[in-house]
Every structure is written in C-alpha cells, then in structure tokens.
Amino acid sequence: MALRERPKAVSLTDAAAARVKSIMSDREKGFLRVGVKNGGCAGMEYVMEYVEAPEALDERVADKGVEIVLESKALLFLLGTEIDYETTALHSKFVFNNPNQTDACGCGESVTIIPVKEA
C-alpha cells in the first residue's frame, strides 16, 4: 500500500517561489528559514533569515521547486500559511496569508496569531 503524501505545513505562490529561487541563487549553500518572534504592537512578527543548515526539529518544506525551512517553535503558528511575494510601485515584500492570524497592526509590521490547536 502506497502512503499518501503528507500535506505541506506552508505553501508558496509562484511569485514567492520565484523570489526564493532568485535570492538563494546568489548563495552557494544554505536555506531560507521562516519563523515568528514576539514583537511589534500586535504581538508577533514574521521573520526570515538565511541559515547554513536546518536545526534538528525544523520542518523542511519543498514547494514549486524550492525548499524552505520552518522554525520548529513557529510551526503551530504557521500551519496552513500561504507565502506570497508582492511587488507594487512602493514596495516589494513577502506576504503571509495565514489562517491563524487574527489581527494586524496598522502599519502591517506585526500580527496577532493564534497557534493551531491539537486535534
């Protein structure tokens, strides 16, 4: 019996995958790591950083030809999130479409996220 593929913790849009490919092509090795941290007026902020290798409990996600790493302690806050990359006349940035996000500050730099409850 074949095992079904496990659902991805997060997904990337085509635009986000293209941007990750672009920024990682300049690096010889490593990963883009996504997480959250306490901060901002709404309570939490999304963070992205370069790492040489995932930590032992980090979640590796492959989608649309790229691989990113999710910080283990942020996983319950990020489940179901779609990461997009948006370009307008005034800015270019990654955008997190997170079903667990309940609020955001006026400037859009911080969010309120409720972790997924265990089933």
Side-chain angles (χ1 to χ4, degrees), residues 14-37:
D14 291 339
R19 183 61 182 144
V20 170
K21 277 183 196 174
S22 173
I23 62 177
M24 295 307 290
S25 69
D26 295 338
R27 303 182 65 81
E28 290 184 25
K29 61 181 179 177
F31 297 87
L32 184 63
R33 187 172 191 232
V34 179
V36 295
K37 69 176 185 174

Side-chain angles (χ1 to χ4, degrees), residues 87-118:
T87 301
T88 69
L90 299 176
H91 69 261
S92 296
K93 65 180 181 176
F94 285 98
V95 176
F96 294 81
N97 299 311
N98 186 340
N100 310 305
Q101 182 177 314
T102 60
D103 197 12
C105 68
C107 67
E109 293 296 319
S110 67
V111 295
T112 303
I113 308 171
I114 305 298
V116 173
K117 300 222 188 291
E118 291 184 42

